[in-house]
Amino acid sequence: MIFPRRGWTSRGFNELSKVSDILVNGDYCWTIDWVEQFPGLEDGPMFRSERDQADGIIWRDKEGVSRKLSCNQVWKNLNFFGPKVPWFRLVWFNNNIPMNAFILWMAILGKLKTQDRVKSWELNGNLLCPFCSNVCDSHDHLFFSCEYSMQIWKHFHNKMGIIFILDNWNDLVNKFCNLVKGKSIVVLIRKLVLAGCVAHLWRETNARLFRNLNRNWQEVVSFIEHEIKVEK
């Protein structure tokens, strides 16, 4: 509940008023109109007054437990994050490349605007994969069923000692989660490589569709390798 400034200054309170100013012999002395406007005032105690102790600020969390006020605690209580997903460490980790991580996050959620998602808006458009021109691109096709993207992925998974290639993007993500446990340099590179492949394939897709710029897959590989070397 929020009391407007005029409301509490008209009752004799000011910026220096304390909790103790509304207590008489341990009982609250709310004005009648406040109680009528905010019935919850009588359901207290909202505050606890202890002798010889200065006023303090606490935060009552969503479980009703009083804690030391902190931005972190308030943020957690005001935002519902839901259960942890199995791929969260695949996307969010120290030393990640923020833009690549963001694009990977969108790809895992299936939220990138691939052509299969926008074809209903472009009924007369020629919506084919900008790399192979065989099918309408999708998350599954782009990562990594298309011949173009498959060449990029094969290059890196051979270097990383990964022996699987899956046609389904979600299966690949789930499988990859088991390969990035721990904090070794190998795990870090694997995560950077996956995010780099996804992000640069998405950038290359947009470059071809909207700017008529084309790079061969070897150029994309070279750029990803350079980026990872610089960042790590």
Side-chain angles (χ1 to χ4, degrees), residues 43-161:
D43 296 335
M46 294 191 303
F47 307 103
R48 182 178 62 187
S49 179
E50 297 184 5
R51 294 181 179 275
D52 303 322
Q53 288 193 13
D55 287 351
I57 300 176
I58 61 172
W59 174 261
R60 183 174 294 173
D61 66 19
K62 58 185 179 181
E63 280 80 32
V65 178
S66 296
R67 302 178 182 276
K68 181 180 178 180
L69 180 67
S70 69
C71 292
N72 182 50
Q73 187 65 48
V74 174
W75 173 257
K76 288 180 178 178
N77 289 158
L78 295 183
N79 292 271
F80 176 73
F81 296 100
K84 286 185 178 180
V85 291
W87 44 260
F88 77 102
R89 295 190 188 278
L90 185 61
V91 179
W92 312 117
F93 55 92
N94 292 335
N95 301 314
N96 71 4
I97 301 173
M99 185 53 68
N100 290 0
F102 177 78
I103 295 175
L104 175 60
W105 177 54
M106 294 291 287
I108 292 176
L109 295 177
K111 297 298 185 180
L112 294 177
K113 287 184 170 57
T114 48
Q115 293 173 352
D116 63 320
R117 298 189 67 219
V118 302
K119 63 182 180 181
S120 60
W121 311 337
E122 296 287 345
L123 299 179
N124 299 321
N126 180 24
L127 298 180
L128 293 176
C129 172
F131 301 118
C132 66
S133 300
N134 291 327
V135 297
C136 182
D137 76 4
S138 63
H139 286 74
D140 284 339
H141 179 72
L142 187 58
F143 315 118
F144 296 91
S145 296
C146 175
E147 184 63 27
Y148 180 94
S149 61
M150 187 180 294
Q151 292 296 330
I152 296 173
W153 184 240
K154 281 183 177 179
H155 172 86
F156 284 109
H157 84 62
N158 288 337
K159 280 193 169 184
M160 294 185 295

Side-chain angles (χ1 to χ4, degrees), residues 158-170:
N158 288 337
K159 280 193 169 184
M160 294 185 295
I162 299 174
I163 59 175
F164 66 85
I165 297 179
L166 301 174
D167 293 333
N168 183 284
W169 166 237
N170 289 330

Side-chain angles (χ1 to χ4, degrees), residues 5 8-9 13-18:
R5 188 177 189 279
W8 46 266
T9 55
F13 299 109
N14 55 52
E15 290 83 354
L16 300 179
S17 295
K18 300 179 180 180

